[in-house]
Amino acid sequence: MDDDVTDFGMRIPYLIRQVNHALSQRLDRALKPYSLTQAQLSALAILGHQHPAPSSGAELSQRSGVTPPSMSAALADLAGRGLVRRTPHPTHGRIVEVGITSAGRKLLREVQVATKAAEERDMGGLDAAQQEQLRDLLRTMMRNLDLYLPREEK
Amino acid sequence: MDDDVTDFGMRIPYLIRQVNHALSQRLDRALKPYSLTQAQLSALAILGHQHPAPSSGAELSQRSGVTPPSMSAALADLAGRGLVRRTPHPTHGRIVEVGITSAGRKLLREVQVATKAAEERDMGGLDAAQQEQLRDLLRTMMRNLDLYLPREEK
DNA sequence: TAAGATTGAGTCCTCAATCTTC
DNA sequence: GAAGATTGAGGACTCAATCTTA
């Protein structure tokens, strides 16, 4: 009756943590040959897909779910490898605008093809309807948690 | 059309990562006053709830989703604080059996009450049916990913 | 040989503090 | 003063390697 407290393994945050951990490890492994961290992939993906939307480090860190220092370090590395370009001032002195380079775009394509395959394997146990359901639930949670949500835009 | 590759923000692993990150950060914050890591909480929870089932470090690491070295370090700290007991040999020489102490059990209760409140706040945006749906989907994913699943047992 | 536990090296992250510019 | 970017210190985790015992 008081196993109210015994349901630990059934709590959603616990389940999410487990699933994320497994997926995350697989992603890291897939990313290793490219020497990219998840934060770096996230930054490249945002820069590569957001129409012609270059961003500031602050914005990238927020959308990627990492702290500004983490993103700062990630970008410094990417810039050193010529995958992104940091232009010190747009017209505003303290913002550093970040944009993806063509080399970055090329790498992004490669990585996305590689990770997509692995992902489909991992998601294979869910049919299309279930995946859609899961996506909706997670997006609802993101809204509730005040996380940045990429627009639905078909 | 080829935004096949543009759907990054809609991919389930990405969504899971974002949600987990937010929940994880909140849990860490809630755990901070108790100086517990998530791996340590997981270990205490397993030891505290598994009927009278003490476990080996290997088993705890597997169920907690961390590597054996991580769990080893976590347990060493817990043992140093008197929250778990490590008895070097059950009848078997190389296994270290781990059991929770009464102090550990007491702390576990406290922490679970504290985290439960925060969790309910975080999950508040989903109604009971949605939570059940999400739980089912995540459990299905765990099975597909070959993760350890706590038995359903009502 | 194989399995459990541990140690050591390396990485990515967070937090707190600082520097700069509006 | 407030916001963006960065630096420095500290923590938790992983991987690879080692030690020990069945």
Side-chain angles (χ1 to χ4, degrees), chain A residues 27-28 30-31 34-49 60 64 71 74-75 78 81 83 100 104 107-113 115-116 119, chain B residues 8 11 14 17:
Chain A
L27 177 57
D28 280 336
L31 249 33
Y34 302 97
S35 294
L36 286 179
T37 66
Q38 291 189 27
Q40 288 177 322
L41 172 58
S42 174
L44 285 180
I46 292 171
L47 293 172
H49 298 324
L60 288 174
S64 299
M71 185 51 73
L75 290 175
L78 289 179
R81 293 159 62 189
L83 300 172
I100 193 168
L107 182 64
L108 177 59
R109 288 273 172 180
E110 272 183 63
V111 171
Q112 286 183 321
V113 170
T115 58
K116 185 125 190 161
E119 246 176 63
Chain B
F8 219 68
R11 291 193 187 178
Y14 170 83
R17 177 165 172 267

Side-chain angles (χ1 to χ4, degrees), chain A residues 37-149:
Chain A
T37 66
Q38 291 189 27
Q40 288 177 322
L41 172 58
S42 174
L44 285 180
I46 292 171
L47 293 172
H49 298 324
Q50 243 61 349
H51 310 311
S55 300
S56 68
E59 196 175 343
L60 288 174
S61 72
Q62 204 176 352
R63 296 197 188 184
S64 299
V66 299
T67 57
S70 299
M71 185 51 73
S72 185
L75 290 175
D77 180 62
L78 289 179
R81 293 159 62 189
L83 300 172
V84 301
R85 198 181 304 113
R86 284 186 298 184
T87 60
H89 79 293
T91 78
H92 194 78
R94 80 188 167 221
I95 292 180
V96 177
E97 278 230 333
V98 184
I100 193 168
T101 63
S102 56
R105 208 175 286 277
K106 182 164 168 293
L107 182 64
L108 177 59
R109 288 273 172 180
E110 272 183 63
V111 171
Q112 286 183 321
V113 170
T115 58
K116 185 125 190 161
E119 246 176 63
E120 276 165 6
R121 199 167 359 89
D122 293 339
M123 303 301 301
L126 299 181
D127 61 37
Q130 287 177 313
Q131 292 193 24
E132 190 52 35
Q133 227 180 22
L134 180 52
R135 215 188 316 271
D136 284 345
L137 289 167
L138 290 170
R139 287 174 65 86
T140 299
M141 285 207 66
M142 285 183 70
R143 254 188 302 278
N144 296 336
L145 293 169
D146 282 324
L147 301 181
Y148 174 84
L149 258 185

